[in-house]
Amino acid sequence: MGRLYQADGEPASERSEERPPLPIQKKIEYYTKKSKVRVSCHQLRHTMATQLLNADADLATIQDLLGHGQITTTQRYCWVSNLKVQRDYYKAIEVVLQRTQSNGEQS
């Protein structure tokens, strides 16, 4: 997947000036006020990044989707849930146990 670009052709991550709200941002603001549910585009970006990470998406892919120039920026968006940490731990332990057992059988 390639880099994300603004309408003027400039890479998304290199724009420093404040941008006016996009139409989708305006719609989200309108419906959150109407429904009295507190949510923002920023929160939705965090949620998307976290859900992708929890579904085992690569951090570099998430970086590309969010249009970040630095991986450290993306890491701030990705709040790892305990479920992913637990799943990764058990997956790693399984590999360690398999290696230990196969090394024990070879001796």
Side-chain angles (χ1 to χ4, degrees):
M1 177 174 268
R3 302 281 331 142
L4 297 178
Y5 291 90
Q6 302 296 326
D8 61 7
E10 195 173 329
S13 60
E14 295 178 15
R15 289 185 67 131
S16 58
E17 72 273 3
E18 193 69 28
R19 292 188 309 260
L22 297 172
I24 187 70
Q25 289 173 291
K26 289 292 188 186
K27 285 187 183 214
I28 289 172
E29 289 170 8
Y30 170 78
Y31 286 112
T32 57
K33 285 177 186 173
K34 188 173 181 171
S35 66
K36 297 185 176 127
V37 173
R38 294 182 57 171
V39 69
S40 67
C41 288
H42 185 74
Q43 290 169 317
L44 292 174
R45 283 175 61 90
H46 274 282
T47 301
M48 179 189 79
T50 303
Q51 293 299 319
L52 288 170
L53 187 64
N54 288 342
D56 293 329
D58 186 63
L59 197 57
T61 301
I62 299 169
Q63 175 190 5
D64 232 14
L65 286 169
L66 295 176
H68 294 155
Q70 301 293 321
I71 197 77
T72 53
T73 306
T74 308
Q75 288 170 329
R76 281 185 246 137
Y77 271 81
C78 298
W79 298 325
V80 182
S81 74
N82 288 334
L83 179 63
K84 175 158 176 53
V85 172
Q86 214 174 29
R87 191 173 60 229
D88 289 349
Y89 169 78
Y90 286 119
K91 190 186 295 182
I93 288 298
E94 188 176 315
V95 170
V96 169
L97 289 174
Q98 288 173 353
R99 288 180 184 167
T100 305
Q101 290 171 351
S102 62
N103 285 341
E105 293 171 2
Q106 293 174 358
S107 300

